[in-house]
Amino acid sequence: MRQAVTASLSVWGERRFGYSTLKDSSESLLDERKLRPGLKEDSVIEEKERAENEQEQLEAVLGLPSSPVEDTHQTDSMEPSDPTLDCKKGGGMEASLVCGGRKGSLGALPMQRCSSLGTTAPQWVPDSQAPACMKCGSKFSFTKRRHHCRACGKVFCVVCCDLRYKLTHLGGKEGRVCVTCHSTLMNRTLRKDQKKVWFADNLLPQSESRSANSSPLHRSVSHTERAELAQAEVSELRAGDEVSSNSTKPTPPKDLPPILTSTGVKGDYTLEEKRTESSLLEELERGLAAPLVFVLNANLLAVVKIVSYVNRRCWCVMSKGMHAVGQPEVVILLQCLPEEKRFPTDIFNHFIQIYWDAQTAGKLLNHLSHSLVSRGFLGNNEHAGFLYVRPTFQSLEGLPLPAPPFLFGVLMLRAEAPWAKAFPLRLMLRLGAEYRFYPCPLFSVRFREPLFGPVNNSIMRLLVDFRFYRYTLPTVPGLVVDLEARSTCIRIPKTRHPELLKALNKSNERVLALGACFNEQADSHLICVQTADGQYQTQAISIHSQPRRVTGSCFFVFSGALKPSSGYLAKSSIVEDGLMVQVTMEALADLRRSLRDMKDFTVTCGKLPPAERQEYVHIQWQDEEPRFNKGIISPIDGKSMESLTNIKTHQRLEYRANGKLIRWTEVFFLLKDQHPNGVNNHSSQNRLTERLARAFCLALCQSLCLLKEDGMTKLALRVTLDGQKMEFLAGSNGQRLPAPYQECLNQSLTSVVQSNSQYQGLAACQLELIFYILEDTS
């Protein structure tokens, strides 16, 4: 669905406005007389048509009534060389047969052909009889494919046959038509008061913007000029450069965005704009229709469906297109209101804002992050935004889901926003306790009561600045706390030692406090509940019908307030949804040294002298860390990318050509010991990776339209360097790129490595770079 969708967006403006996005409409209307011999009578008719068109334009400007022009040529003495010659009125563009407005000037045969165009199915020209495009004469090859016009049946290249039009013989659905038939059909129905159609964010793709602002009268463009224009359009965008698509902030749409629907022909889609909400809701409620696909902008879609999830009737609104800006896709499950008759369009606007923030500022959402909204969102001033969670133990049955990675957004209220900013794990687990889902629900409920009130005498007031958020509780990724009977274990991944050192350096000498991650190995978790009088109580939430063996904790605090004369080795206790351990200052200093040296440490809790019933707090370093990048696979061969380190490259490299844009979004490190913070990641390797990405983009720049048309919008390049061995592999949709692309890439990429001697001595590395092909909206 996505490849076909994006492939169809580039011609939306052409279908709606009647202008061509291929530079100018005349650019692809090369004179057929240059490609095949014509009759002498044809040139006479062409000269007369130009004179007639110029006369009509002059009369229109002067406000004079148009007078019929008699044609002295005999119609039976001329057989048109092309039954689909242009039927548009315009001064001096190309020879055209005017099919309306004058009586019988060209005989019955041309009139019949023009009037039946699009109403009856044409006779298709066999592929074997069309070795070259029947418009521009370009010979077909591996990269230049054949395309049949659904109106006239002739065979053209993609340049001459890349438009869509609603055809009667297809039941009113849109079909692919050539530029000549498109002009004929458009001028038959074009009205002066036709309005333009915009995307939901009020931004048009680059090619459509040019068409919307240009005059319908274009000059002819030669093949040489077209090549020069295409080459001049290729440009590199670096981080920090001004991007014109980012200069205008998207504005919320007033009506429903256009809807993308299939024409019934594979790869062909159409846009519907003026469907009423009532009719769309009726289709969704019946459950017979496929999910509705709304076009938010040229590269972003919203898929909407009404589902029954855990016995709740919910809107399921899913984004498609966030991956191209480095952002996980977003899914919103919103419980329907009784007798609800309106679409939750505020979610569409919020998707556009998320996409905008990721594209322009590199602000990306991840697990337990949040986004804020303005007042009045979804009809309530108390709705503050969404808390985003990654599904773990929740059921996903019956939900339409995007390709990983994706996040679920859970609606939060303004009173809960401080916890989303300072300590989101507490809010997530509290939502789970409220709706009895472990660890939290994936659906959102509007107009509910807040779960937290003002922050009063919580221990978090000592650890977090709730007023200005100048400091908060640091969290080390992968750090979890296991609570068992008389034993507590704090597990820290060894790969996260640098993050732990940063937290140690910023901590107070007398207190060491760290936030923990959600413990997926535990079968229950501590939660904190605020009562009606503002007090905080400790409770636990567990997986349904499972015994509680290991309980997770949200944070831990080591305090050096214990005096040696207290009679205790150390004290441990549960405080709200965390663990408090009181030790002496000497023991706290030993703990800090052990953490800096990445050594295990054990604290014994109990009275002096040691008794039988003592408790232990263990700090252990783990070789493995919790799994991440779940479900992500390589576009080349489907290889799993789970637990492989990756780095987002927000707008570090972009190239554009012919109305398309190719963007490098991230890089995966395929070797386990090849960590970006390790010794292998020196500046030379970083420069090599960037130069390989640049060479990949430049090699494919002129083929972006073909790749996008074939559905190859997500590309990957796998690079293997091991001493003198060099291997480059590119692919998309689980398959390698065709041989011509691969050969071109091998030549370009090999020259990058061989031309720089400093790369020859690099340690073995294996990288996979991810690219996306998008519509250029600048």
Side-chain angles (χ1 to χ4, degrees):
M1 170 65 76
R2 182 172 177 269
Q3 291 87 353
V5 165
T6 53
S8 66
L9 293 180
S10 63
V11 296
W12 184 28
E14 301 159 1
R15 296 198 304 269
R16 299 303 305 178
F17 307 143
Y19 306 141
S20 171
T21 62
L22 307 173
K23 301 298 180 187
D24 297 318
S25 60
S26 60
E27 175 183 322
S28 57
L29 294 175
L30 298 176
D31 196 350
E32 296 189 13
R33 294 171 297 172
K34 299 179 181 178
L35 304 177
R36 54 180 182 268
L39 301 177
K40 181 178 181 180
E41 289 84 356
D42 290 343
S43 62
V44 176
I45 292 296
E46 292 167 0
E47 294 295 336
K48 189 174 185 346
E49 289 297 325
R50 290 193 185 99
E52 291 175 355
N53 290 334
E54 293 173 357
Q55 178 67 21
E56 288 179 357
Q57 291 181 359
L58 181 60
E59 291 174 350
V61 172
L62 298 177
L64 299 177
S66 59
S67 58
V69 180
E70 297 181 359
D71 192 349
T72 59
H73 291 272
Q74 298 295 325
T75 59
D76 56 358
S77 65
M78 179 190 69
E79 178 66 23
S81 59
D82 188 347
T84 60
L85 290 177
D86 280 358
C87 301
K88 58 186 171 185
K89 300 178 182 180
M93 252 189 90
E94 182 183 13
S96 59
L97 298 181
V98 181
C99 301
R102 292 187 293 274
K103 299 187 291 184
S105 61
L106 298 178
L109 183 58
M111 286 286 290
Q112 181 180 3
R113 288 179 174 173
C114 287
S115 61
S116 64
L117 189 66
T119 59
T120 59
Q123 183 177 0
W124 281 31
V125 176
D127 290 351
S128 58
Q129 298 181 12
C133 175
M134 302 179 74
K135 185 66 179 173
C136 66
S138 301
K139 291 185 178 181
F140 296 121
S141 63
F142 176 81
T143 58
K144 187 175 286 294
R145 311 287 182 84
R146 292 177 174 86
H147 298 277
H148 277 85
C149 174
R150 269 66 170 178
C152 66
K154 291 188 174 184
V155 184
F156 303 93
C157 66
V158 67
V159 175
C160 300
C161 190
D162 193 28
L163 304 179
R164 303 290 193 277
Y165 198 86
K166 291 184 179 180
L167 303 175
T168 305
H169 70 84
L170 294 180
K173 296 180 179 179
E174 289 192 350
R176 181 189 291 269
V177 295
C178 63
V179 291
T180 306
C181 293
H182 185 268
S183 298
T184 301
L185 296 168
M186 283 299 300
N187 281 280
R188 182 188 297 172
T189 58
L190 191 61
R191 299 177 180 177
K192 294 182 179 180
D193 58 347
Q194 182 180 10
K195 296 182 179 180
K196 296 176 182 178
V197 181
W198 300 87
F199 289 120
D201 62 352
N202 285 351
L203 295 177
L204 279 176
Q206 180 190 37
S207 54
E208 298 173 19
S209 299
R210 289 197 303 267
S211 298
N213 297 326
S214 61
S215 170
L217 302 179
H218 303 295
R219 66 176 181 88
S220 299
V221 182
S222 65
H223 279 292
T224 304
E225 290 173 309
R226 175 164 39 178
E228 291 174 353
L229 288 172
Q231 184 65 28
E233 198 175 342
V234 178
S235 60
E236 177 184 359
L237 297 180
R238 303 288 305 189
D241 288 354
E242 284 282 341
V243 182
S244 57
S245 60
N246 302 336
S247 59
T248 305
K249 191 173 183 178
T251 56
K254 297 180 181 179
D255 301 320
L256 284 178
I259 299 174
L260 199 71
T261 57
S262 174
T263 63
V265 180
K266 184 178 180 180
D268 284 344
Y269 292 85
T270 182
L271 286 169
E272 300 182 42
E273 304 166 51
K274 296 185 179 180
R275 294 284 300 277
T276 61
E277 284 190 277
S278 58
S279 64
L280 294 175
L281 284 172
E282 185 177 355
E283 290 183 11
L284 290 177
E285 289 174 352
R286 289 179 181 176
L288 303 177
L292 296 177
V293 181
F294 291 92
V295 182
L296 304 186
N297 66 33
N299 299 305
L300 179 63
L301 307 175
V303 182
V304 180
K305 187 178 182 180
I306 294 180
V307 299
S308 178
Y309 179 72
V310 293
N311 298 324
R312 296 171 184 262
R313 188 168 173 269
C314 299
W315 293 98
C316 181
V317 186
M318 172 184 69
S319 70
K320 273 194 173 184
M322 297 283 190
H323 286 170
V325 291
Q327 165 66 49
E329 301 291 352
V330 177
V331 182
I332 305 294
L333 277 175
L334 185 66
Q335 183 172 329
C336 296
L337 299 175
E339 304 298 327
E340 188 168 19
K341 299 299 181 184
R342 298 295 303 273
F343 278 80
T345 54
D346 285 351
I347 297 178
F348 297 162
N349 303 337
H350 198 55
F351 279 1
I352 295 173
Q353 185 63 48
I354 294 173
Y355 186 92
W356 170 265
D357 291 340
Q359 183 182 36
T360 59
K363 182 181 178 182
L364 305 179
L365 301 174
N366 48 52
H367 180 56
L368 291 182
S369 62
H370 67 281
S371 62
L372 301 178
V373 298
S374 58
R375 289 190 176 272
F377 185 78
L378 294 174
N380 190 344
N381 289 333
E382 295 303 315
H383 294 158
F386 292 97
L387 175 69
Y388 296 94
V389 297
R390 185 175 54 246
T392 51
F393 297 98
Q394 301 94 331
S395 172
L396 303 178
E397 185 178 357
L399 297 179
L401 297 175
F406 58 87
L407 300 169
F408 279 84
V410 183
L411 190 65
M412 65 180 183
L413 305 184
R414 299 204 174 273
E416 301 163 352
W419 293 108
K421 296 178 181 179
F423 199 31
L425 182 58
R426 172 173 290 188
L427 177 58
M428 182 191 81
L429 295 170
R430 180 64 183 90
L431 285 166
E434 181 70 15
Y435 293 99
R436 304 182 67 83
F437 282 92
Y438 186 84
C440 71
L442 298 180
F443 57 85
S444 300
V445 179
R446 288 169 281 183
F447 306 102
R448 62 175 176 84
E449 294 297 322
L451 301 180
F452 290 101
V455 181
N456 295 325
N457 52 348
S458 169
I459 188 177
M460 284 297 160
R461 293 196 64 180
L462 304 176
L463 305 174
V464 176
D465 178 14
F466 280 97
R467 186 175 182 182
F468 300 108
Y469 300 98
R470 290 171 297 187
Y471 58 89
T472 184
L473 189 64
T475 301
V476 176
L479 186 152
V480 294
V481 180
D482 295 341
L483 300 177
E484 299 181 74
R486 288 195 284 178
S487 177
T488 298
C489 183
I490 301 173
R491 295 187 283 115
I492 311 172
K494 291 181 178 179
T495 57
R496 300 300 179 179
H497 186 244
E499 288 91 333
L500 183 68
L501 290 179
K502 292 180 181 179
L504 280 176
N505 295 332
K506 294 181 180 180
S507 63
N508 187 287
E509 291 184 0
R510 303 184 64 87
V511 176
L512 175 61
L514 289 175
C517 300
F518 173 69
N519 192 346
E520 296 187 24
Q521 304 300 321
D523 45 47
S524 61
H525 224 285
L526 296 179
I527 66 169
C528 180
V529 177
Q530 188 175 18
T531 61
D533 58 357
Q535 301 300 315
Y536 295 90
Q537 296 181 350
T538 301
Q539 296 184 13
I541 180 176
S542 60
I543 302 176
H544 180 65
S545 71
Q546 286 193 13
R548 290 173 52 186
R549 295 187 177 89
V550 178
T551 302
S553 173
C554 294
F555 68 94
F556 67 84
V557 177
F558 283 91
S559 172
L562 186 67
K563 297 181 179 180
S565 59
S566 64
Y568 284 88
L569 294 171
K571 290 183 179 180
S572 66
S573 58
I574 301 297
V575 179
E576 297 177 3
D577 49 6
L579 173 70
M580 167 74 79
V581 182
Q582 297 183 39
V583 296
T584 62
M585 285 296 298
E586 182 180 356
L588 184 59
D590 293 339
L591 171 61
R592 289 178 178 274
R593 279 193 295 270
S594 297
L595 291 175
R596 293 185 184 277
D597 298 337
M598 204 163 58
K599 296 180 179 179
D600 294 348
F601 191 83
T602 299
V603 176
T604 303
C605 302
K607 292 185 178 181
L608 285 173
E612 295 182 359
R613 300 183 58 86
Q614 291 180 331
E615 297 182 1
Y616 299 94
V617 178
H618 305 283
I619 298 179
Q620 298 179 354
W621 292 91
Q622 304 289 320
D623 292 327
E624 297 184 1
E625 59 180 326
R627 296 183 302 168
F628 54 93
N629 289 336
K630 296 181 181 179
I632 301 179
I633 61 176
S634 168
I636 300 175
D637 51 12
K639 177 182 178 179
S640 175
M641 295 294 184
E642 185 172 310
S643 298
L644 293 178
T645 304
N646 65 307
I647 296 179
K648 302 288 184 181
T649 56
H650 169 66
Q651 283 193 358
R652 288 183 61 186
L653 202 64
E654 290 181 351
Y655 282 85
R656 54 183 60 174
N658 303 324
K660 300 294 185 288
L661 179 147
I662 183 169
R663 173 182 295 157
W664 177 33
T665 60
E666 60 185 325
V667 55
F668 285 86
F669 299 88
L670 304 185
L671 300 181
K672 289 291 185 180
D673 57 347
Q674 185 186 353
H675 195 272
N677 294 327
V679 295
N680 284 345
N681 189 47
H682 44 74
S683 58
S684 296
Q685 181 171 315
N686 289 339
R687 289 195 298 269
L688 174 62
T689 305
E690 187 170 334
R691 293 188 179 185
L692 289 172
R694 185 185 300 112
F696 181 89
C697 294
L698 286 174
L700 297 181
C701 227
Q702 294 302 328
S703 302
L704 297 182
C705 292
L706 289 173
L707 290 167
K708 199 166 191 286
E709 181 180 317
D710 290 338
M712 301 181 188
T713 55
K714 182 180 181 181
L715 306 170
L717 170 65
R718 186 176 299 166
V719 180
T720 303
L721 299 177
D722 186 7
Q724 300 299 322
K725 177 184 176 182
M726 290 185 296
E727 184 179 357
F728 307 103
L729 187 62
S732 178
N733 298 327
Q735 297 179 348
R736 298 185 181 184
L737 289 186
Y741 296 117
Q742 189 68 51
E743 293 173 2
C744 178
L745 288 171
N746 285 338
Q747 183 178 2
S748 301
L749 299 173
T750 303
S751 62
V752 171
V753 179
Q754 293 178 345
S755 62
N756 295 272
S757 57
Q758 66 267 28
Y759 301 147
Q760 303 295 329
L762 289 179
C765 66
Q766 190 173 24
L767 313 170
E768 185 154 324
L769 289 70
I770 306 297
F771 303 83
Y772 282 89
I773 300 177
L774 307 172
E775 295 292 330
D776 186 5
T777 58
S778 61

